Amino acid sequence: MSKFVSAFREIATYKELLRSQVEHVLIDRLTEFLSVDLQAVKESRYRFDKADSAYDQAREKFASLKKSTHADVVTGLEEDLHNSKSAFERSRFNLEFRQMLS
């Protein structure tokens, strides 16, 4: 009978060790998520909001052009619009990708 009692005590010790190791791994992963992954999503969101604002401003400038505007001004604003749209799309993709990873 004492063999069974000592075996059960040993099993209980291993069970407690396994539980503490699993808990440690889960807490480490959660801490990493909160400190690294979530921060990366926040930064991506900030860059997205900034690019969205710049894209909106470029669209408004381009849309407010008059027919009599010089071609070089139109070309410059069109290029700004294209660049801001590209930056917006990149930041949107990065934000979606970061959110998907989290």
Side-chain angles (χ1 to χ4, degrees):
M1 188 69 155
S2 64
K3 289 182 180 180
F4 288 115
V5 170
S6 65
F8 281 127
R9 283 187 182 142
E10 193 173 336
I11 289 172
T13 302
Y14 286 129
K15 178 187 168 212
E16 186 62 29
L17 178 64
L18 179 63
R19 184 196 62 76
S20 68
Q21 287 177 344
V22 167
E23 188 175 281
H24 179 69
V25 167
L26 291 175
I27 287 174
D28 284 350
R29 178 61 188 125
L30 182 60
T31 302
E32 180 184 340
F33 170 75
L34 289 174
S35 63
V36 176
D37 297 341
L38 203 56
Q39 186 62 33
V41 170
K42 286 180 183 179
E43 290 171 5
S44 291
R45 179 62 193 207
Y46 174 76
R47 285 192 296 272
F48 171 75
D49 289 341
K50 195 172 176 181
D52 183 42
S53 176
Y55 183 40
D56 284 343
Q57 288 176 356
R59 279 190 309 210
E60 288 175 10
K61 283 181 184 178
F62 189 75
S64 68
L65 290 176
K66 297 183 179 179
K67 288 185 178 184
S68 62
T69 306
H70 291 289
D72 58 337
V73 173
V74 173
T75 304
L77 288 176
E78 192 173 30
E79 186 177 327
D80 288 346
L81 179 62
H82 177 71
N83 291 338
S84 62
K85 181 179 180 183
S86 296
F88 169 77
E89 292 297 334
R90 277 192 310 275
S91 63
R92 184 176 63 88
F93 174 79
N94 288 335
L95 178 61
E96 289 173 0
F97 182 72
R98 295 269 187 198
Q99 287 176 336
M100 186 175 60
L101 290 179
S102 297

